[in-house]
Amino acid sequence: MVGMGELQGKKIVVTGGAGFIGFHLCKKLSELTSNLTIYDNLSSGKMENVKDVPKAKLVKGDILDLKKLNSLEKADLIYHLAAQVVVPYSMENPIIDFDTNAKGTLHVLEKARKDDSKVVFASSAAVYGNSTVFPTPESYGFHPFSCYGLSKVVGEEYCDMYRSQYGLDIVITRFANVYGLRCHGVIHDFLDKLTANPGKLEIIGTGLQSRDFVHVSDVVNALVTMGSEDSANGQVYNLGYGTTITIIDLAKMMLKILGLEKKTFVTTTGVSWQGDVTEIWFDNSKARKELNWNPTVSLEESIKEVIADRKLSK
Ligand SMILES: NC(=O)c1ccc[n+]([C@@H]2O[C@H](COP(=O)([O-])OP(=O)(O)OC[C@H]3O[C@@H](n4cnc5c(N)ncnc54)[C@H](O)[C@@H]3O)[C@@H](O)[C@H]2O)c1
């Protein structure tokens, strides 16, 4: 992998390291450095994830607690993943969402300014809103359609300010739909529903909304490169597989793998949650070219892995 050697021995902090992506990232980073700190308030993160990265040190804390954040040992590199990540929740609780994702990011940047640390900021496809250009390139710009998307835009804008005015090394990455073992999201929702009742699967929305699923191991490879390569500083990168699949086709794929395609009755609610976007399909050519990134894990193979992990397979 490009640049892995550059992280050896570095003091690295991962906010949100007890969460889904944070766990996989910390697992990889713990092979590269012995000085890894997870900073997480465990609101959605899990102790199980922390325990499974035994070389990392957990500091239980909130990114809104600037004093505690600043009391952490000086960091060379901060991966900022901690966030409120649920779109419908952001629409019902815009102030909490803003505090965590916008103000919280500002706090992390203040810690970085104090330490002169490099920052890799996890942003989202949600900053594009309902894109009209497919596949969507980084240059499409900000058109958020949810409070979550808007709070990520504010986080990105602060990153840009700290980069231009304070000279911090910052990389922004926008994730499409990251999945894999221990994730939450539509794949796991479907598996939960099918476990409870294999005869029925209800899709929220029309089922025609489509997503770009990228495996967490591919994302982690790119994050390591972003953290280690100076050439990534000041850049914004889409991380998606570069394809799109409708949710109804995802459901059909999963039912086929499970041998349930003739046994499960699929329904749709028609109406989705507020802030839901119609299509996510990333242009990932910039990350491929500049980071030498090559996402390889196929959706079908990985769903089989997730199902096997949940002991649902026959
Ligand atoms: N999973 C995806 O498909 C996806 C897509 C786009 C963007 N992202 C972004 O990637 C990042 C990681 O997402 P994830 O899927 O791993 O989510 P997650 O919910 O599993 O992880 C978020 C982590 O942040 C922690 N956290 C939340 N609020 C905090 C606070 N105030 N202080 C300290 N810690 C706090 C949680 O406890 C959790 O461990 C987030 O920034 C998210 O917005 C994820």
Side-chain angles (χ1 to χ4, degrees):
M1 194 195 309
V2 180
M4 271 176 75
E6 317 294 324
L7 296 184
Q8 232 132 43
K10 288 261 161 73
K11 292 175 188 162
I12 304 178
V13 171
V14 179
T15 72
F20 158 54
I21 300 171
F23 159 68
H24 290 277
L25 174 65
C26 287
K27 228 174 156 198
K28 172 58 79 181
L29 292 174
S30 70
E31 294 165 15
L32 304 174
T33 181
S34 54
N35 200 327
L36 177 63
T37 301
I38 292 170
Y39 188 83
D40 199 303
N41 68 358
L42 299 178
S43 54
S44 65
K46 298 196 172 86
M47 264 319 283
E48 177 199 345
N49 289 343
V50 177
K51 283 190 186 134
D52 287 349
V53 190
K55 287 188 191 159
K57 171 181 152 195
L58 170 71
V59 176
K60 190 173 174 220
D62 200 299
I63 50 172
L64 290 170
D65 185 348
L66 183 57
K67 205 169 158 205
K68 189 154 193 179
L69 202 49
N70 273 334
S71 73
L72 294 179
E73 197 185 346
K74 187 177 186 302
D76 298 311
L77 171 62
I78 302 174
Y79 284 95
H80 176 38
L81 273 62
Q84 187 302 111
V85 304
V86 184
V87 170
Y89 182 88
S90 80
M91 299 308 295
E92 279 164 26
N93 304 277
I95 296 174
I96 298 175
D97 177 78
F98 176 87
D99 281 348
T100 307
N101 294 359
K103 195 172 175 191
T105 297
L106 183 56
H107 283 177
V108 173
L109 290 167
E110 272 296 277
K111 158 76 175 155
R113 182 161 77 101
K114 183 170 83 65
D115 292 357
D116 195 24
S117 342
K118 175 168 172 169
V119 177
V120 178
F121 173 55
S123 185
S124 165
V127 302
Y128 298 132
N130 262 319
S131 176
T132 52
V133 177
F134 296 107
T136 309
E138 289 85 352
S139 57
Y140 183 70
F142 299 141
H143 302 273
F145 188 63
S146 63
C147 292
Y148 169 72
L150 182 54
S151 62
K152 285 288 182 183
V153 168
V154 176
E156 284 202 26
E157 291 283 25
Y158 270 111
C159 284
D160 208 38
M161 180 66 68
Y162 273 59
R163 182 192 57 74
S164 63
Q165 297 299 332
Y166 299 125
L168 284 191
D169 291 335
I170 301 185
V171 189
I172 294 170
T173 175
R174 298 176 185 148
F175 298 148
N177 301 89
V178 188
Y179 71 100
L181 296 182
R182 304 192 188 197
C183 83
H184 34 78
V186 62
I187 294 171
H188 282 255
D189 284 352
F190 284 176
L191 289 174
D192 286 345
K193 285 178 181 172
L194 290 167
T195 307
N197 180 5
K200 188 183 163 201
L201 179 63
E202 184 183 72
I203 296 174
I204 298 171
T206 60
L208 298 176
Q209 66 272 45
S210 71
R211 296 292 182 261
D212 182 336
F213 290 97
V214 59
H215 194 264
V216 68
S217 62
D218 286 324
V219 166
V220 164
N221 286 342
L223 287 171
V224 169
T225 307
M226 285 173 198
S228 54
E229 289 295 306
D230 288 347
S231 59
N233 297 347
Q235 298 298 322
V236 181
Y237 292 106
N238 277 348
L239 290 183
Y241 196 74
T243 55
T244 197
I245 179 171
T246 63
I247 297 303
I248 198 127
D249 283 344
L250 172 74
K252 285 181 188 161
M253 182 192 279
M254 291 177 65
L255 292 175
K256 196 166 167 214
I257 294 169
L258 289 161
L260 288 173
E261 73 264 56
K262 295 211 174 83
K263 295 179 192 147
T264 305
F265 186 59
V266 180
T267 60
T268 58
T269 61
V271 180
S272 192
W273 57 85
Q274 208 178 4
D276 190 23
V277 296
T278 312
E279 183 164 356
I280 297 174
W281 176 14
F282 270 11
D283 178 344
N284 62 14
S285 54
K286 187 176 175 203
R288 281 180 179 274
K289 191 166 161 238
E290 296 180 13
L291 303 174
N292 201 14
W293 186 58
N294 184 23
T296 53
V297 183
S298 85
L299 183 58
E300 193 166 346
E301 282 313 306
S302 181
I303 288 175
K304 285 181 189 160
E305 178 200 21
V306 172
I307 290 171
D309 188 59
R310 291 173 56 121
K311 300 187 184 12
L312 270 168
S313 56
K314 299 178 177 171

